[in-house]
Amino acid sequence: MGCTLFLEKDFTAYADVCFREFGDRVSYWTTVNEANVFVLGGYDFGFLPPQRCSSPFGFNCAVGNSTWEPYVAAHNILLTHASVARLYKNKYQAWQHGFIGINVYMVWFTPFTNATEDVLATQRANDFYAGWFLNPLMFGDYPDIVKKNAGLRIPFFTPRQSKQVKGSFDFLGLNHYTTLSVKDNSNSLKIDQRDFNGDMAAEIRRMLISITCFRVVDWAFTDEYPINPSGLQGVLEYVKQVYGNPPVYIHENGQKMLHSMSFNDTSRVNYLNAYMGSLLDAVRNGSNARGYFTWSFLDVFELLGIDGFKSSFGLYYVDLDDPELKRYPKLSAHWYSNFLKGKSSNSNVTIGTEKNFYPLSQTHSSQKNCTEEMLSLSSSMFLLLLTLAAVGLGQDTAKFSRDDFPSHFVFGSGSSAYQVEGAAFEDGKSPSIWDTSTHSGNLKNKSKVDRACDQYHKYKEDVKLMVDTGLEGYRFSISWSRLILNGRGPVIPKGLQYYNNLINELVSHGIQPHVTLFHFDLPQVLEDEYGGWLRQKIVFVLNFILLF
């Protein structure tokens, strides 16, 4: 497995262009966004481009092998990240004085019961979801349980590769939204043909306890996430204890709501207030967290949504039916702005938008009677909920301000290129795997996806909104296909001009650019030519091994 990774060479060359052209103004670089989500969604379950998977593990599988492709793609991403980090540190860091990291999605896992089997399964879930990437970055190799359960299907690091990957980051970017419980499923290890979930030997339960109404809910069937802020503190404490407390930026955190719910996003305000309060607790407890970015600044095309625009996370509503795509501040935009400008944070206040005044303590109309639900629970669950209620109420009503966080701490918001830029086929941009996916599938409103929020043309207007809101940082991604023709051709002049203009606009208003190099949008030609994050020689060798 020592053959050259084609994409590593092309991605490193692309990163070199970014560092050279923008590094004098960009100090924070992230190589890959949610690397674990991308490989599972794209190579195991098949719900993300390049939509590779195999039955019975994935959805509508036409090509791929879920049993080993996620492991190979993840391995190659780690090697490519290390290559880019090495380039930056050797060639640019000394004079640009910036920092480079990688981003993973982290759930806070809790045991479904206090049985030893569920406790051990919870640790396996952490090792598979987070340790799969974080252990090589910190220790130079995969967790032992991952190697044991995946066997020959997971590549190994050579001593040289291990040395290169270990420590190849200045910070970790973490995306966190919710808490899940874990139940042991060791029987899955008896099945010969297994994917990632089978190897993990754990069942992820989505039944969660929401402190908003102290309810047990299944968020997969709701329009909003339950508010469990202790999960963020748990994730940060876990990273501190297990991985030596490296610098961490919370790159994404926010509340999902129906896009049609418009301006009165009280649930989002309550969510942000609770999670930022938990973040403050973690910082006071010694976490090396250094920044927090809400997801998202605008209502964007959601990559994990069923139809892309059904749900939204934005602080600003975007009228997708308006030819000008007019932006409107939601309640959460005003709340976040007040916090950033030094006012104390408390969800039980009244803030006015340009059209109406909304009491933030207003109960959501879809909530059921909490007392009736609690009375229907068992006594043990009732006591657990009472405990969480006491903690949750303390966080929900606690007041804190920007000044309570360290002065170097950065607060911002984020987006990604495909989700916000629009101009999908303008000015020489070549297609990405997302362009191909949205145009070949059954997604409605393809023209709206191509236009997105049109930040490509409206970046000045959006930066003005960021200034008005008080953002200290803006996290966005560069579209590889917009900057480099077909992923490894010449630099596209208009793409280069756009990113220079956006970065200059941000910097001129005192907003830190935090730039991601890869947010799921691989140039389509690289996927077609050599399988993207899979390398053909490795594919052949592994297929041969697994036949015998």
Side-chain angles (χ1 to χ4, degrees), residues 444-461:
K444 299 177 182 178
N445 302 318
K446 293 181 176 64
S447 62
K448 288 185 177 180
V449 177
D450 292 342
R451 188 176 60 159
C453 300
D454 199 25
Q455 193 168 87
Y456 186 74
H457 297 106
K458 300 171 76 70
Y459 69 91
K460 286 188 176 181
E461 176 185 335

Side-chain angles (χ1 to χ4, degrees), residues 8-312:
E8 179 181 322
K9 179 181 177 181
D10 291 337
F11 190 83
T12 303
Y14 154 62
D16 196 13
V17 172
C18 293
F19 299 151
R20 183 183 70 237
E21 298 293 339
F22 313 126
D24 58 328
R25 289 150 292 158
V26 174
S27 297
Y28 299 91
W29 296 97
T30 302
T31 54
V32 179
N33 177 74
E34 286 185 350
N36 47 354
V37 171
F38 172 69
V39 295
L40 290 175
Y43 296 92
D44 190 346
F45 312 138
F47 62 81
L48 289 176
Q51 295 174 302
R52 298 180 63 89
C53 59
S54 59
S55 181
F57 309 108
F59 307 95
N60 300 318
C61 303
V63 63
N65 190 318
S66 297
T67 66
W68 57 263
E69 285 190 5
Y71 294 119
V72 171
H75 194 77
N76 293 340
I77 284 175
L78 283 164
L79 294 177
T80 301
H81 159 79
S83 173
V84 171
R86 191 163 60 252
L87 167 72
Y88 185 73
K89 290 174 180 294
N90 291 340
K91 188 175 179 180
Y92 294 100
Q93 194 169 49
W95 65 275
Q96 291 183 351
H97 307 292
F99 307 92
I100 192 164
I102 190 171
N103 175 285
V104 295
Y105 180 83
M106 285 195 70
V107 174
W108 179 236
F109 291 114
T110 61
F112 187 65
T113 71
N114 61 1
T116 300
E117 293 82 1
D118 289 350
V119 173
L120 293 175
T122 301
Q123 183 56 53
R124 283 200 303 277
N126 281 318
D127 286 336
F128 270 81
Y129 273 97
W132 186 17
F133 284 86
L134 297 187
N135 275 47
L137 291 167
M138 185 61 66
F139 309 122
D141 201 1
Y142 298 113
D144 289 341
I145 191 64
V146 175
K147 293 189 293 183
K148 176 183 176 182
N149 289 4
L152 291 175
R153 289 174 289 119
I154 189 168
F156 61 84
F157 293 107
T158 66
R160 181 170 178 267
Q161 290 171 339
S162 175
K163 184 178 180 180
Q164 290 172 341
V165 172
K166 181 179 179 180
S168 60
F169 66 96
D170 298 313
F171 66 85
L172 296 176
L174 302 181
N175 296 354
H176 172 79
Y177 289 91
T178 194
T179 299
L180 299 172
S181 59
V182 181
K183 184 174 177 58
D184 176 64
N185 186 27
S186 295
N187 286 333
S188 68
L189 295 174
K190 300 176 182 178
I191 302 172
D192 291 333
Q193 187 179 24
R194 302 191 301 268
D195 71 340
F196 175 90
N197 280 336
D199 293 337
M200 184 171 59
E203 180 182 345
I204 306 300
R205 296 292 184 98
R206 292 188 296 251
M207 300 304 291
L208 304 173
I209 300 165
S210 172
I211 68 167
T212 309
C213 192
F214 321 134
R215 295 182 295 160
V216 178
V217 297
D218 186 342
W219 59 258
F221 299 99
T222 66
D223 297 318
E224 301 176 8
Y225 294 137
I227 301 176
N228 295 288
S230 60
L232 178 56
Q233 190 172 356
V235 162
L236 290 171
E237 183 65 21
Y238 185 84
V239 170
K240 184 178 78 172
Q241 296 291 340
V242 176
Y243 298 107
N245 205 20
V248 167
Y249 289 85
I250 304 302
H251 275 163
E252 291 185 23
N253 179 247
Q255 177 62 289
K256 174 181 71 170
M257 298 181 71
L258 291 176
H259 184 258
S260 59
M261 293 192 69
S262 188
F263 309 111
N264 191 16
D265 57 344
T266 57
S267 178
R268 181 170 293 114
V269 172
N270 289 329
Y271 181 102
L272 295 176
N273 183 75
Y275 279 79
M276 287 166 60
S278 183
L279 173 62
L280 179 59
D281 290 340
V283 170
R284 287 172 170 170
N285 197 39
S287 168
N288 200 8
R290 299 189 179 187
Y292 174 89
F293 294 78
T294 71
W295 185 267
S296 53
F297 186 65
L298 303 176
D299 282 345
V300 299
F301 172 74
E302 285 302 329
L303 302 182
L304 299 182
I306 296 174
D307 63 6
F309 291 114
K310 177 183 177 182
S311 298
S312 64

Side-chain angles (χ1 to χ4, degrees), residues 86 255-256 261 313 370 401 415 501:
R86 191 163 60 252
Q255 177 62 289
K256 174 181 71 170
M261 293 192 69
F313 291 77
C370 299
S401 71
S415 69
N501 289 343

Side-chain angles (χ1 to χ4, degrees), residues 331-357:
L331 197 60
S332 56
H334 290 276
W335 178 88
Y336 197 41
S337 179
N338 281 348
F339 166 78
L340 292 172
K341 294 174 181 178
K343 297 182 181 179
S344 65
S345 167
N346 188 340
S347 63
N348 295 309
V349 296
T350 302
I351 302 174
T353 70
E354 62 185 50
K355 294 185 178 181
N356 296 288
F357 283 91

Side-chain angles (χ1 to χ4, degrees), residues 370-383:
C370 299
T371 304
E372 291 179 1
E373 292 190 31
M374 290 192 70
L375 290 176
S376 67
L377 299 171
S378 66
S379 58
S380 58
M381 182 61 74
F382 182 82
L383 290 173

Side-chain angles (χ1 to χ4, degrees), residues 416-433:
S416 81
Y418 187 76
Q419 295 174 274
V420 75
E421 285 180 2
F425 304 103
E426 291 186 31
D427 294 338
K429 178 183 176 294
S430 48
S432 74
I433 57 176

